[in-house]
């Protein structure tokens, strides 16, 4: 058995019942709020959101294939001076030692 102590099992019904009640309330609120929503705008939002998710999956898969050398190497690393070089240095403007705003962001 996964439960070593029977007191864990006796405390499970309270969160389960609470979750069922809250899910029912949230579902009813969501349903009432979406009754007035136009289906076209909802579908357009969902389509755009799914495109962003698909673009993320695609970029991750391309990255994994590059790590596996599926595409092969195009040229020796010595001929690619740009490879793994720093493009932008933000230590001057975004330093938490000199700019107090980034202390909060840390």
């Amino acid at each position: 058995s996964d439960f070593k102590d029977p007191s864990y099992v006796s405390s499970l019904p309270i969160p389960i019942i609470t979750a069922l009640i809250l899910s029912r309330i949230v579902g009813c609120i969501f349903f009432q709020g979406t009754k007035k929503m136009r289906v076209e705008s909802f579908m357009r939002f969902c389509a755009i959101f799914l495109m962003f998710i698909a673009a993320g999956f695609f970029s991750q898969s391309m990255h994994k294939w590059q790590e596996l050398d599926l595409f092969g190497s195009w040229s020796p690393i010595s001929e690619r001076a740009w490879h793994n070089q720093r493009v932008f240095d933000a230590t001057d403007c975004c330093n938490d030692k000199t700019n107090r705003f980034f202390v909060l962001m840390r």
Side-chain angles (χ1 to χ4, degrees):
S1 172
D2 291 336
F3 300 109
K4 306 290 187 232
D5 186 13
S7 65
Y8 288 123
V9 178
S10 65
S11 65
L12 281 178
I14 294 172
I16 291 173
I17 292 170
T18 306
L20 289 173
I21 292 171
L22 285 176
S23 65
R24 178 75 178 201
I25 292 170
V26 169
C28 288
I29 291 171
F30 181 76
F31 178 73
Q32 291 296 327
T34 56
K35 270 188 186 179
K36 300 172 188 166
M37 183 186 289
R38 293 179 44 189
V39 176
E40 297 166 1
S41 61
F42 178 73
M43 295 304 263
R44 183 172 292 128
F45 169 76
C46 288
I48 292 170
F49 184 67
L50 286 174
M51 282 185 204
F52 278 108
I53 291 173
F57 283 146
F58 181 74
S59 67
Q60 283 289 350
S61 65
M62 288 294 118
H63 176 72
K64 293 296 180 187
W65 284 358
Q66 284 177 344
E67 284 180 348
L68 294 172
D69 249 353
L70 184 72
F71 301 121
S73 60
W74 294 285
S75 62
I77 291 180
S78 61
E79 293 179 14
R80 291 180 275 160
W82 53 268
H83 190 68
N84 288 336
Q85 295 296 319
R86 182 176 291 174
V87 176
F88 182 73
D89 186 14
T91 55
D92 292 334
C93 72
C94 305
N95 191 354
D96 63 343
K97 305 288 190 263
T98 59
N99 191 340
R100 297 298 297 167
F101 173 73
F102 290 101
V103 172
L104 296 174
M105 300 304 288
R106 186 172 35 161

